[in-house]
Amino acid sequence: MSTVESESSKHQHPGPAGSIPPRQGRTTRRASASDLYARGEPFLWGFGGALALGIAMILGFLVLIYWNGIATFYPKPIESILLKSGDRIAGEPTRREIYRPGPQLLESLDPVIQKFIQKNHGYAERTLVRTGNYDLYYEDFRWVSDFEIQEVSRPNGLFFVERMEWGPFIGTVDSVNLSGTVVPGETITFRELREIRKAGEDRRRRIREIERKDIGRVNHYLDRERLKLRRLELKHGEQSPVVLEARKSYEARSAALRDQYAELEARASAIKEKDAAFTITLADVNGRKKTIRLSEIVRMVPSNDLSILQKLGVYLSRWAEFLTEEPREANAEGGVMPAIFGTFVMTVLMALAVAPFGVMTALYLREYARQGKMVSLVRICVNNLAGVPSIVYGVFGLGFFAYLVGGTIDSLFFPERLPNPTFGTGGVLWASLTLALLTVPVVIVATEEALAAVPQSMREGSLACGASKWQTIKYIVIPRAMPGIMTGLILAMARGAGEVAPLMLVGVVKMAPELPVDSFFPYFHLERSFMHLGFHIYDLGFQSRNSEAAKPMVFMTTLLLITLVAVMNAIAIYVRNRLKRKFLMGHF
């Protein structure tokens, strides 16, 4: 052992290897406590806790939406409730809650019930029952307190009847009138009812096809002939020889089209007259009857008599209706196909508009503009634009795009349609451009960051090999920055797809069953109003005659909007990852 080692060993405290000498222990513990803050451990715990809390909130929100949305279409049992007052109600129990009865209600109750409520500190429980039959009761739901109930049962033979109007009807089948032949309800099987209902549905679809498709085509041709004549009148004058000759041709063609219209209308009237002879009489649990046409019934569900497979069949059929059909009953029932199509088309058009302008602006600011105070000011303005309220963009889009640009287009290219505007009002085109303005700062900032991340040495190497500046940007800079550009576009699509406030001013409407695509030139009509899933949610939640009845559709539409945005973002992320593998790794 060396002299240095022996001297140091004299001052060491005997003990296990690696132990701290007693004289230095207190000093070391104090250093550890101060080092805890020096290393940022409390802040690290706070950041981790905030992240965990944020993730938990997001997951909780998604679980709430998906659970309530997915379970909406599953058939629920129908309960027949006998009240102590002697009344009977039937319906689907939706939710329960604890509430405090008011003083007047407590005074009217039995003393035994009053004592029971007092023992529960003045609280009682009640159930919200979806009774339907709005045309009989003028309400869709009814609260039933537990102390009002005498008996609850789930009898067979009760139907949940989904109708085109007045919402669902809950009751039994009293009789069926088949063009003069009245059949009692107790003698008809469920399979026979299903076949009769399908026949009525076929008649309804034929009437709808004639009125919307065939008669709609005739109306389109009539309007087109009228507009041709009006254009000639504006160009040559109403009494010019050209207009007089054209007017004769117009009258001949219009007469032929009106004959077609009358023939189609007579055909639709014949089907309606035949359809009126097929009716069904329904009765609620108290015996009150309602007679409707069989074609008005969308679905008849004997909820208490279904097996698991039959319930799954009803569940899937409701999903199919929701995704492929139009809304009905003030958007509270039916499908949301027009809203799905409108949201998708508007988001794609917005992406096609925002991508080139955002990327070109970022390229100029980063690669071509001389860096100085002016460029810094422009960047500050771009960053500030991202914080402007979206409704301001809506007002700008309505004033600039719809009234100024659209009004100019109408006066130049569609004067015969005035004073009815064509492009001078809200439509899917102006809505897409307005949201493109709203999201272009996001694309500019993300693209600039992606361009700045490309090493300068790659630019210098390309220029040294004889490439021009544009060739360097096109073949070197943009491909390597493409993943970052796609990230900005993904963020823009996610924000634009969920915006509602600007759309309320520039094109979105409560009900637009006609899609902006048809068989008439130019086939894709960008000037038409459209439906949007975000506005559909707002309309159901705040403008529905019964928010409780619309609540299931709110969850379903929210679930669908989240899923649609997630699918579009997933496609964009997939493309971004492929570009990243191609340009950064050299292969797909």
PDB file of all heavy atoms in Angstrom, residues 211-233:
ATOM      1  N   GLU A 211     -91.016  12.232 -57.650  1.00  0.00           N
ATOM      2  CA  GLU A 211     -91.099  13.656 -57.306  1.00  0.00           C
ATOM      3  C   GLU A 211     -89.741  14.334 -57.324  1.00  0.00           C
ATOM      4  O   GLU A 211     -89.620  15.489 -57.749  1.00  0.00           O
ATOM      5  CB  GLU A 211     -91.755  13.812 -55.927  1.00  0.00           C
ATOM      6  CG  GLU A 211     -93.233  13.437 -55.912  1.00  0.00           C
ATOM      7  CD  GLU A 211     -93.853  13.610 -54.550  1.00  0.00           C
ATOM      8  OE1 GLU A 211     -93.099  13.677 -53.551  1.00  0.00           O
ATOM      9  OE2 GLU A 211     -95.098  13.681 -54.473  1.00  0.00           O
ATOM     10  N   ARG A 212     -88.716  13.651 -56.871  1.00  0.00           N
ATOM     11  CA  ARG A 212     -87.403  14.296 -56.772  1.00  0.00           C
ATOM     12  C   ARG A 212     -86.547  14.101 -58.020  1.00  0.00           C
ATOM     13  O   ARG A 212     -85.894  15.050 -58.473  1.00  0.00           O
ATOM     14  CB  ARG A 212     -86.641  13.760 -55.562  1.00  0.00           C
ATOM     15  CG  ARG A 212     -87.215  14.205 -54.238  1.00  0.00           C
ATOM     16  CD  ARG A 212     -86.217  13.987 -53.140  1.00  0.00           C
ATOM     17  NE  ARG A 212     -86.701  14.479 -51.859  1.00  0.00           N
ATOM     18  CZ  ARG A 212     -85.987  14.458 -50.739  1.00  0.00           C
ATOM     19  NH1 ARG A 212     -84.771  13.941 -50.761  1.00  0.00           N
ATOM     20  NH2 ARG A 212     -86.487  14.932 -49.617  1.00  0.00           N
ATOM     21  N   LYS A 213     -86.575  12.900 -58.565  1.00  0.00           N
ATOM     22  CA  LYS A 213     -85.680  12.614 -59.683  1.00  0.00           C
ATOM     23  C   LYS A 213     -86.322  12.972 -61.016  1.00  0.00           C
ATOM     24  O   LYS A 213     -85.805  13.814 -61.765  1.00  0.00           O
ATOM     25  CB  LYS A 213     -85.293  11.137 -59.662  1.00  0.00           C
ATOM     26  CG  LYS A 213     -84.257  10.762 -60.704  1.00  0.00           C
ATOM     27  CD  LYS A 213     -83.877   9.299 -60.572  1.00  0.00           C
ATOM     28  CE  LYS A 213     -82.853   8.907 -61.628  1.00  0.00           C
ATOM     29  NZ  LYS A 213     -82.471   7.472 -61.515  1.00  0.00           N
ATOM     30  N   ASP A 214     -87.476  12.375 -61.325  1.00  0.00           N
ATOM     31  CA  ASP A 214     -88.092  12.582 -62.632  1.00  0.00           C
ATOM     32  C   ASP A 214     -88.684  13.992 -62.769  1.00  0.00           C
ATOM     33  O   ASP A 214     -88.389  14.706 -63.735  1.00  0.00           O
ATOM     34  CB  ASP A 214     -89.172  11.522 -62.862  1.00  0.00           C
ATOM     35  CG  ASP A 214     -88.588  10.116 -62.864  1.00  0.00           C
ATOM     36  OD1 ASP A 214     -87.385   9.990 -63.173  1.00  0.00           O
ATOM     37  OD2 ASP A 214     -89.320   9.163 -62.558  1.00  0.00           O
ATOM     38  N   ILE A 215     -89.515  14.378 -61.807  1.00  0.00           N
ATOM     39  CA  ILE A 215     -90.089  15.720 -61.867  1.00  0.00           C
ATOM     40  C   ILE A 215     -89.009  16.779 -61.675  1.00  0.00           C
ATOM     41  O   ILE A 215     -89.054  17.853 -62.290  1.00  0.00           O
ATOM     42  CB  ILE A 215     -91.212  15.866 -60.825  1.00  0.00           C
ATOM     43  CG1 ILE A 215     -92.369  14.934 -61.162  1.00  0.00           C
ATOM     44  CG2 ILE A 215     -91.701  17.306 -60.727  1.00  0.00           C
ATOM     45  CD1 ILE A 215     -93.542  15.014 -60.205  1.00  0.00           C
ATOM     46  N   GLY A 216     -88.018  16.484 -60.857  1.00  0.00           N
ATOM     47  CA  GLY A 216     -86.904  17.414 -60.695  1.00  0.00           C
ATOM     48  C   GLY A 216     -86.144  17.628 -61.990  1.00  0.00           C
ATOM     49  O   GLY A 216     -85.708  18.751 -62.286  1.00  0.00           O
ATOM     50  N   ARG A 217     -85.991  16.562 -62.789  1.00  0.00           N
ATOM     51  CA  ARG A 217     -85.315  16.706 -64.082  1.00  0.00           C
ATOM     52  C   ARG A 217     -86.140  17.586 -65.027  1.00  0.00           C
ATOM     53  O   ARG A 217     -85.587  18.454 -65.720  1.00  0.00           O
ATOM     54  CB  ARG A 217     -85.088  15.335 -64.697  1.00  0.00           C
ATOM     55  CG  ARG A 217     -84.340  15.387 -66.035  1.00  0.00           C
ATOM     56  CD  ARG A 217     -84.188  14.032 -66.671  1.00  0.00           C
ATOM     57  NE  ARG A 217     -83.336  13.166 -65.863  1.00  0.00           N
ATOM     58  CZ  ARG A 217     -83.758  12.135 -65.155  1.00  0.00           C
ATOM     59  NH1 ARG A 217     -85.073  11.831 -65.135  1.00  0.00           N
ATOM     60  NH2 ARG A 217     -82.939  11.398 -64.448  1.00  0.00           N
ATOM     61  N   VAL A 218     -87.446  17.377 -65.051  1.00  0.00           N
ATOM     62  CA  VAL A 218     -88.298  18.204 -65.906  1.00  0.00           C
ATOM     63  C   VAL A 218     -88.238  19.671 -65.474  1.00  0.00           C
ATOM     64  O   VAL A 218     -88.143  20.592 -66.310  1.00  0.00           O
ATOM     65  CB  VAL A 218     -89.750  17.687 -65.870  1.00  0.00           C
ATOM     66  CG1 VAL A 218     -90.674  18.638 -66.630  1.00  0.00           C
ATOM     67  CG2 VAL A 218     -89.831  16.291 -66.481  1.00  0.00           C
ATOM     68  N   ASN A 219     -88.259  19.923 -64.161  1.00  0.00           N
ATOM     69  CA  ASN A 219     -88.156  21.300 -63.671  1.00  0.00           C
ATOM     70  C   ASN A 219     -86.822  21.930 -64.050  1.00  0.00           C
ATOM     71  O   ASN A 219     -86.753  23.126 -64.374  1.00  0.00           O
ATOM     72  CB  ASN A 219     -88.327  21.323 -62.154  1.00  0.00           C
ATOM     73  CG  ASN A 219     -89.769  21.112 -61.726  1.00  0.00           C
ATOM     74  OD1 ASN A 219     -90.693  21.464 -62.451  1.00  0.00           O
ATOM     75  ND2 ASN A 219     -89.965  20.534 -60.551  1.00  0.00           N
ATOM     76  N   HIS A 220     -85.766  21.120 -64.042  1.00  0.00           N
ATOM     77  CA  HIS A 220     -84.459  21.647 -64.438  1.00  0.00           C
ATOM     78  C   HIS A 220     -84.450  22.066 -65.906  1.00  0.00           C
ATOM     79  O   HIS A 220     -83.941  23.150 -66.248  1.00  0.00           O
ATOM     80  CB  HIS A 220     -83.389  20.572 -64.198  1.00  0.00           C
ATOM     81  CG  HIS A 220     -82.039  20.945 -64.729  1.00  0.00           C
ATOM     82  ND1 HIS A 220     -81.199  21.825 -64.085  1.00  0.00           N
ATOM     83  CD2 HIS A 220     -81.387  20.557 -65.873  1.00  0.00           C
ATOM     84  CE1 HIS A 220     -80.087  21.971 -64.792  1.00  0.00           C
ATOM     85  NE2 HIS A 220     -80.174  21.213 -65.876  1.00  0.00           N
ATOM     86  N   TYR A 221     -85.034  21.241 -66.750  1.00  0.00           N
ATOM     87  CA  TYR A 221     -85.071  21.589 -68.178  1.00  0.00           C
ATOM     88  C   TYR A 221     -85.961  22.804 -68.423  1.00  0.00           C
ATOM     89  O   TYR A 221     -85.635  23.665 -69.255  1.00  0.00           O
ATOM     90  CB  TYR A 221     -85.568  20.400 -68.991  1.00  0.00           C
ATOM     91  CG  TYR A 221     -84.589  19.246 -69.033  1.00  0.00           C
ATOM     92  CD1 TYR A 221     -85.027  17.924 -69.046  1.00  0.00           C
ATOM     93  CD2 TYR A 221     -83.223  19.482 -69.068  1.00  0.00           C
ATOM     94  CE1 TYR A 221     -84.136  16.872 -69.081  1.00  0.00           C
ATOM     95  CE2 TYR A 221     -82.316  18.426 -69.114  1.00  0.00           C
ATOM     96  CZ  TYR A 221     -82.777  17.129 -69.115  1.00  0.00           C
ATOM     97  OH  TYR A 221     -81.890  16.097 -69.169  1.00  0.00           O
ATOM     98  N   LEU A 222     -87.094  22.897 -67.713  1.00  0.00           N
ATOM     99  CA  LEU A 222     -87.945  24.073 -67.846  1.00  0.00           C
ATOM    100  C   LEU A 222     -87.209  25.346 -67.430  1.00  0.00           C
ATOM    101  O   LEU A 222     -87.282  26.380 -68.108  1.00  0.00           O
ATOM    102  CB  LEU A 222     -89.203  23.909 -66.992  1.00  0.00           C
ATOM    103  CG  LEU A 222     -90.328  23.045 -67.561  1.00  0.00           C
ATOM    104  CD1 LEU A 222     -91.384  22.774 -66.502  1.00  0.00           C
ATOM    105  CD2 LEU A 222     -90.959  23.716 -68.781  1.00  0.00           C
ATOM    106  N   ASP A 223     -86.493  25.266 -66.332  1.00  0.00           N
ATOM    107  CA  ASP A 223     -85.749  26.436 -65.865  1.00  0.00           C
ATOM    108  C   ASP A 223     -84.619  26.785 -66.831  1.00  0.00           C
ATOM    109  O   ASP A 223     -84.345  27.971 -67.061  1.00  0.00           O
ATOM    110  CB  ASP A 223     -85.201  26.150 -64.463  1.00  0.00           C
ATOM    111  CG  ASP A 223     -84.633  27.392 -63.808  1.00  0.00           C
ATOM    112  OD1 ASP A 223     -85.370  28.373 -63.653  1.00  0.00           O
ATOM    113  OD2 ASP A 223     -83.431  27.384 -63.457  1.00  0.00           O
ATOM    114  N   ARG A 224     -83.979  25.777 -67.404  1.00  0.00           N
ATOM    115  CA  ARG A 224     -82.904  26.047 -68.351  1.00  0.00           C
ATOM    116  C   ARG A 224     -83.435  26.742 -69.605  1.00  0.00           C
ATOM    117  O   ARG A 224     -82.813  27.693 -70.109  1.00  0.00           O
ATOM    118  CB  ARG A 224     -82.206  24.738 -68.738  1.00  0.00           C
ATOM    119  CG  ARG A 224     -80.958  24.933 -69.576  1.00  0.00           C
ATOM    120  CD  ARG A 224     -80.284  23.621 -69.852  1.00  0.00           C
ATOM    121  NE  ARG A 224     -81.107  22.748 -70.694  1.00  0.00           N
ATOM    122  CZ  ARG A 224     -80.724  21.542 -71.098  1.00  0.00           C
ATOM    123  NH1 ARG A 224     -79.559  21.053 -70.715  1.00  0.00           N
ATOM    124  NH2 ARG A 224     -81.517  20.813 -71.849  1.00  0.00           N
ATOM    125  N   GLU A 225     -84.584  26.304 -70.111  1.00  0.00           N
ATOM    126  CA  GLU A 225     -85.168  26.958 -71.280  1.00  0.00           C
ATOM    127  C   GLU A 225     -85.573  28.399 -70.952  1.00  0.00           C
ATOM    128  O   GLU A 225     -85.382  29.312 -71.772  1.00  0.00           O
ATOM    129  CB  GLU A 225     -86.393  26.163 -71.752  1.00  0.00           C
ATOM    130  CG  GLU A 225     -86.078  24.767 -72.260  1.00  0.00           C
ATOM    131  CD  GLU A 225     -85.187  24.796 -73.492  1.00  0.00           C
ATOM    132  OE1 GLU A 225     -85.279  25.775 -74.259  1.00  0.00           O
ATOM    133  OE2 GLU A 225     -84.407  23.846 -73.682  1.00  0.00           O
ATOM    134  N   ARG A 226     -86.105  28.609 -69.764  1.00  0.00           N
ATOM    135  CA  ARG A 226     -86.481  29.968 -69.364  1.00  0.00           C
ATOM    136  C   ARG A 226     -85.265  30.883 -69.288  1.00  0.00           C
ATOM    137  O   ARG A 226     -85.297  32.049 -69.728  1.00  0.00           O
ATOM    138  CB  ARG A 226     -87.199  29.926 -68.016  1.00  0.00           C
ATOM    139  CG  ARG A 226     -87.653  31.284 -67.500  1.00  0.00           C
ATOM    140  CD  ARG A 226     -88.229  31.160 -66.106  1.00  0.00           C
ATOM    141  NE  ARG A 226     -87.241  30.702 -65.147  1.00  0.00           N
ATOM    142  CZ  ARG A 226     -86.344  31.507 -64.573  1.00  0.00           C
ATOM    143  NH1 ARG A 226     -86.321  32.804 -64.859  1.00  0.00           N
ATOM    144  NH2 ARG A 226     -85.484  31.020 -63.700  1.00  0.00           N
ATOM    145  N   LEU A 227     -84.176  30.377 -68.756  1.00  0.00           N
ATOM    146  CA  LEU A 227     -82.964  31.190 -68.623  1.00  0.00           C
ATOM    147  C   LEU A 227     -82.330  31.485 -69.984  1.00  0.00           C
ATOM    148  O   LEU A 227     -81.769  32.572 -70.187  1.00  0.00           O
ATOM    149  CB  LEU A 227     -81.959  30.480 -67.709  1.00  0.00           C
ATOM    150  CG  LEU A 227     -82.367  30.354 -66.233  1.00  0.00           C
ATOM    151  CD1 LEU A 227     -81.359  29.535 -65.462  1.00  0.00           C
ATOM    152  CD2 LEU A 227     -82.537  31.733 -65.606  1.00  0.00           C
ATOM    153  N   LYS A 228     -82.413  30.529 -70.912  1.00  0.00           N
ATOM    154  CA  LYS A 228     -81.910  30.796 -72.270  1.00  0.00           C
ATOM    155  C   LYS A 228     -82.667  31.961 -72.904  1.00  0.00           C
ATOM    156  O   LYS A 228     -82.062  32.860 -73.509  1.00  0.00           O
ATOM    157  CB  LYS A 228     -82.057  29.542 -73.138  1.00  0.00           C
ATOM    158  CG  LYS A 228     -81.027  28.462 -72.866  1.00  0.00           C
ATOM    159  CD  LYS A 228     -81.255  27.300 -73.820  1.00  0.00           C
ATOM    160  CE  LYS A 228     -80.252  26.184 -73.577  1.00  0.00           C
ATOM    161  NZ  LYS A 228     -80.475  25.038 -74.505  1.00  0.00           N
ATOM    162  N   LEU A 229     -83.987  31.931 -72.786  1.00  0.00           N
ATOM    163  CA  LEU A 229     -84.785  33.009 -73.346  1.00  0.00           C
ATOM    164  C   LEU A 229     -84.487  34.331 -72.650  1.00  0.00           C
ATOM    165  O   LEU A 229     -84.385  35.389 -73.307  1.00  0.00           O
ATOM    166  CB  LEU A 229     -86.271  32.670 -73.224  1.00  0.00           C
ATOM    167  CG  LEU A 229     -87.251  33.716 -73.781  1.00  0.00           C
ATOM    168  CD1 LEU A 229     -87.030  33.911 -75.287  1.00  0.00           C
ATOM    169  CD2 LEU A 229     -88.689  33.300 -73.490  1.00  0.00           C
ATOM    170  N   ARG A 230     -84.318  34.316 -71.356  1.00  0.00           N
ATOM    171  CA  ARG A 230     -84.025  35.532 -70.613  1.00  0.00           C
ATOM    172  C   ARG A 230     -82.672  36.117 -71.015  1.00  0.00           C
ATOM    173  O   ARG A 230     -82.523  37.335 -71.130  1.00  0.00           O
ATOM    174  CB  ARG A 230     -84.048  35.226 -69.112  1.00  0.00           C
ATOM    175  CG  ARG A 230     -83.724  36.426 -68.216  1.00  0.00           C
ATOM    176  CD  ARG A 230     -84.687  37.552 -68.436  1.00  0.00           C
ATOM    177  NE  ARG A 230     -84.352  38.695 -67.593  1.00  0.00           N
ATOM    178  CZ  ARG A 230     -84.837  39.909 -67.768  1.00  0.00           C
ATOM    179  NH1 ARG A 230     -85.693  40.151 -68.775  1.00  0.00           N
ATOM    180  NH2 ARG A 230     -84.506  40.888 -66.968  1.00  0.00           N
ATOM    181  N   ARG A 231     -81.697  35.275 -71.257  1.00  0.00           N
ATOM    182  CA  ARG A 231     -80.384  35.757 -71.700  1.00  0.00           C
ATOM    183  C   ARG A 231     -80.485  36.449 -73.061  1.00  0.00           C
ATOM    184  O   ARG A 231     -79.859  37.501 -73.285  1.00  0.00           O
ATOM    185  CB  ARG A 231     -79.398  34.587 -71.757  1.00  0.00           C
ATOM    186  CG  ARG A 231     -77.994  34.963 -72.238  1.00  0.00           C
ATOM    187  CD  ARG A 231     -77.103  33.743 -72.281  1.00  0.00           C
ATOM    188  NE  ARG A 231     -76.696  33.365 -70.941  1.00  0.00           N
ATOM    189  CZ  ARG A 231     -75.606  33.847 -70.339  1.00  0.00           C
ATOM    190  NH1 ARG A 231     -74.844  34.733 -70.964  1.00  0.00           N
ATOM    191  NH2 ARG A 231     -75.289  33.462 -69.133  1.00  0.00           N
ATOM    192  N   LEU A 232     -81.247  35.862 -73.981  1.00  0.00           N
ATOM    193  CA  LEU A 232     -81.430  36.511 -75.285  1.00  0.00           C
ATOM    194  C   LEU A 232     -82.164  37.841 -75.150  1.00  0.00           C
ATOM    195  O   LEU A 232     -81.843  38.807 -75.857  1.00  0.00           O
ATOM    196  CB  LEU A 232     -82.204  35.572 -76.222  1.00  0.00           C
ATOM    197  CG  LEU A 232     -81.455  34.310 -76.693  1.00  0.00           C
ATOM    198  CD1 LEU A 232     -82.378  33.428 -77.511  1.00  0.00           C
ATOM    199  CD2 LEU A 232     -80.229  34.687 -77.505  1.00  0.00           C
ATOM    200  N   GLU A 233     -83.135  37.914 -74.243  1.00  0.00           N
ATOM    201  CA  GLU A 233     -83.847  39.173 -74.040  1.00  0.00           C
ATOM    202  C   GLU A 233     -82.921  40.259 -73.508  1.00  0.00           C
ATOM    203  O   GLU A 233     -83.007  41.421 -73.918  1.00  0.00           O
ATOM    204  CB  GLU A 233     -85.010  38.964 -73.067  1.00  0.00           C
ATOM    205  CG  GLU A 233     -86.144  38.122 -73.653  1.00  0.00           C
ATOM    206  CD  GLU A 233     -87.234  37.844 -72.634  1.00  0.00           C
ATOM    207  OE1 GLU A 233     -87.010  38.121 -71.437  1.00  0.00           O
ATOM    208  OE2 GLU A 233     -88.300  37.339 -73.044  1.00  0.00           O
TER     209      GLU A 233
END
